[in-house]
Amino acid sequence: MLSSSNALMWRSLLAVAVGVVAVAWPGITVGAFVILFAVYAFIGAALDSARAFSSDRVGPVFGWLLLALLSVVAGVVALGWPAITALALTIWVGAWALATGAMEIVLAFQRGEKPGERALFVLTGLVSVVLAFVLFARPDIGAVSLATVFGLFSIFYGTAGIVASFRERRVLKDTGGAQPART
């Protein structure tokens, strides 16, 4: 169940499902992102508060309580000003897309992949990088547009992962379950 090809398949199917939801309901997707961020911030605040009082020294108590306060403020801001939160999340997604796209391009040349698989990884990485630059250049396109673009990206990314999963399964079948030697 947790083999590399199965993990890639499940991750890719989830990406396609998230992409379809984001394209079909972009407004709801943005609202869900903002609410999820607020919930995450409040849970983080609770955990940081608990951690503050589990320490026997004064220094860590103050630091953990400060982090908890910042998390509560972030959660309140997210719920009170969802548009600002959506803009910040847009910039954050741009940073994420740039980092993951660059890493996929670099890893495509370090994994010893076949040329077709390497091209698929490079193409997926380039799509991520382009998404990042669009979001950085035009953050004013709005979070709803981001939800649609993110949905399309997720569908593309998930489809590429499904193709890669089937290729990996074929390689494992052809080699009798043994991983091919990487050079």
Side-chain angles (χ1 to χ4, degrees):
M1 176 74 179
L2 294 179
S3 71
S4 177
S5 63
N6 283 341
L8 181 59
M9 176 63 78
W10 285 111
R11 177 180 174 199
S12 301
L13 289 172
L14 179 62
V16 170
V18 166
V20 168
V21 169
V23 169
W25 301 288
I28 293 171
T29 302
V30 171
F33 283 155
V34 170
I35 291 169
L36 283 174
F37 174 76
V39 168
Y40 174 80
F42 291 136
I43 290 172
L47 293 174
D48 289 341
S49 296
R51 199 166 196 187
F53 295 112
S54 69
S55 177
D56 58 350
R57 298 183 312 199
V58 174
V61 171
F62 176 74
W64 289 115
L65 286 177
L66 182 60
L67 284 174
L69 178 64
L70 290 172
S71 293
V72 167
V73 168
V76 168
V77 167
L79 294 176
W81 295 283
I84 292 171
T85 304
L87 178 63
L89 289 174
T90 300
I91 293 168
W92 183 254
V93 168
W96 166 79
L98 181 62
T100 58
M103 283 304 291
E104 284 185 347
I105 292 168
V106 168
L107 290 175
F109 293 100
Q110 293 183 352
R111 293 181 62 190
E113 302 293 341
K114 294 179 182 175
E117 292 168 343
R118 179 175 292 145
L120 189 61
F121 284 119
V122 169
L123 182 61
T124 304
L126 288 174
V127 169
S128 293
V129 170
V130 168
L131 170 66
F133 282 114
V134 167
L135 294 176
F136 291 146
R138 296 289 313 265
D140 60 322
I141 63 173
V144 173
S145 297
L146 171 63
T148 303
V149 170
F150 175 75
L152 294 172
F153 167 78
S154 293
I155 292 168
F156 175 82
Y157 189 85
T159 303
I162 291 168
V163 170
S165 172
F166 280 119
R167 286 186 177 195
E168 186 173 335
R169 288 171 192 245
R170 187 171 349 131
V171 166
L172 289 174
K173 181 181 172 197
D174 292 345
T175 61
Q179 291 287 339
R182 304 278 183 181
T183 55

